[in-house]
Amino acid sequence: MKRIFVCLILAVVAVVGKAQSDNPRGIYKMMTLEGKNPPVNAPFDQYKIVTDEITLTLRVESDGQFVLANNDGETLNYTGSEPRTENDHGRLVFDSNAQHFTLKWWSTESDHIYFPDGGWVTECYESGKYSEYGSIIFKALLQGYKPDETTPLLGTWRQLGCMDELRDTEKAVASMEENYAASSCRGLFMTVFSGYIVYYKVVNEGEFRVNGVAVNGISCPDNNTLKMGDVPCRVTWLGKDKMAVEMKDGDWRTDYVIYSRVTSNASLMSF
């Protein structure tokens, strides 16, 4: 897990290449797609994160929900634009360097609006391009967020558990930390930015996957309040790097979600 994200961070600062036959390395956004029809602007907010060891695909929905997964099963290396044989349907990567690359793959999808049932799909990618949600999701996953003294709520937080009421919190939190590895909260994170929260769950059992959602309209009017749109959530500090966030279920029930701060620069590196 740590090795994967070290590679991803290195990919972000990959040296710019000049050739058109380099192996693509870095983060690229899909710009156009050609399948059943002539090329169209990318109908999906989709990214390829390509390293020497793995290629991950990030798909972001219009409501901020996202999935990061190893859909390709291998890293993408330059192949040239033509199949090796008439019946070769392997992936093709060409016109590639640090700024862009073209991916061509054989589709067997049925009844898909863009993909043919037995035909090639061509996707063109460019680096340095991000949607609003895409940008904030990558920032959360790869960079985290260092808090400052004036706004301690900002940062990446690991969920430890929940409490019905805040009693004997020191003992309860210590138990949560001790049993974290077997907890249902294992892999649950949130990164708080000025204006956004990114919630996500890291699954690293078998096939690696991250599911999450980016939410805008977030503010921190003071150090004890996390405001989601017009809804304020009271924050109770349980120490410098631990907090309980009040969550109300209607008008009759209040629970508290317990978080501890992730102190590394990249939240996923600590998982």
Side-chain angles (χ1 to χ4, degrees):
M1 174 65 190
K2 290 185 178 180
R3 188 176 180 182
I4 288 175
F5 279 89
V6 168
C7 292
L8 291 186
I9 291 170
L10 291 176
V12 175
V13 294
V15 176
V16 174
K18 295 181 180 180
Q20 303 298 306
S21 58
D22 293 343
N23 293 329
R25 294 294 183 265
I27 298 175
Y28 301 82
K29 177 177 171 57
M30 184 165 69
M31 304 303 294
T32 63
L33 181 147
E34 180 179 4
K36 285 183 176 180
N37 302 306
V40 296
N41 291 334
F44 319 116
D45 189 9
Q46 179 170 296
Y47 304 81
K48 296 288 186 182
I49 306 99
V50 193
T51 76
D52 287 337
E53 296 185 350
I54 196 171
T55 296
L56 297 176
T57 302
L58 175 71
R59 175 75 69 85
V60 183
E61 304 299 332
S62 59
D63 61 358
Q65 294 189 66
F66 66 90
V67 177
L68 176 69
N70 181 13
N71 296 345
D72 293 282
E74 59 185 2
T75 197
L76 298 179
N77 290 322
Y78 177 83
T79 63
S81 60
E82 298 299 325
R84 291 170 294 182
T85 66
E86 183 179 352
N87 295 319
D88 178 17
H89 294 156
R91 288 186 186 88
L92 300 173
V93 177
F94 54 97
D95 188 23
S96 59
N97 58 24
Q99 288 88 28
H100 54 76
F101 76 93
T102 300
L103 172 66
K104 196 171 181 180
W105 58 275
W106 185 263
S107 169
T108 57
E109 297 277 352
S110 59
D111 300 322
H112 195 281
I113 186 173
Y114 298 109
F115 305 153
D117 184 1
W120 291 102
V121 176
T122 302
E123 300 173 352
C124 294
Y125 289 83
E126 293 183 17
S127 65
K129 307 288 187 180
Y130 301 93
S131 66
E132 177 184 355
Y133 279 135
S135 177
I136 206 71
I137 290 166
F138 274 117
K139 188 175 181 181
L141 297 184
L142 295 182
Q143 299 176 18
Y145 194 87
K146 292 184 177 180
D148 56 47
E149 293 298 325
T150 59
T151 315
L153 285 170
L154 301 181
T156 294
W157 300 87
R158 177 180 66 169
Q159 184 174 328
L160 297 178
C162 297
M163 298 180 69
D164 294 332
E165 52 185 339
L166 297 180
R167 289 186 178 180
D168 201 5
T169 56
E170 185 175 350
K171 182 178 179 180
V173 172
S175 177
M176 291 176 189
E177 291 183 314
E178 181 180 355
N179 298 295
Y180 178 74
S183 168
S184 60
C185 294
R186 185 171 184 257
L188 289 175
F189 296 90
M190 75 170 180
T191 298
V192 183
F193 298 95
S194 179
Y196 297 89
I197 285 183
V198 181
Y199 297 100
Y200 48 102
K201 181 175 179 63
V202 181
V203 178
N204 198 26
E205 299 171 1
E207 185 175 348
F208 171 76
R209 189 179 184 89
V210 180
N211 297 281
V213 62
V215 181
N216 59 17
I218 304 301
S219 61
C220 305
D222 56 61
N223 291 343
N224 300 306
T225 307
L226 188 59
K227 196 171 184 181
M228 304 182 185
D230 296 327
V231 181
C233 298
R234 180 172 175 78
V235 173
T236 301
W237 291 95
L238 308 177
K240 180 181 178 182
D241 292 320
K242 294 182 178 65
M243 65 179 180
V245 179
E246 179 185 81
M247 303 299 290
K248 291 186 178 292
D249 183 7
D251 297 326
W252 62 277
R253 180 181 175 88
T254 300
D255 291 320
Y256 300 88
V257 185
I258 310 303
Y259 291 97
S260 66
R261 188 186 302 280
V262 175
T263 54
S264 63
N265 289 337
S267 60
L268 294 181
M269 294 282 287
S270 67
F271 175 65

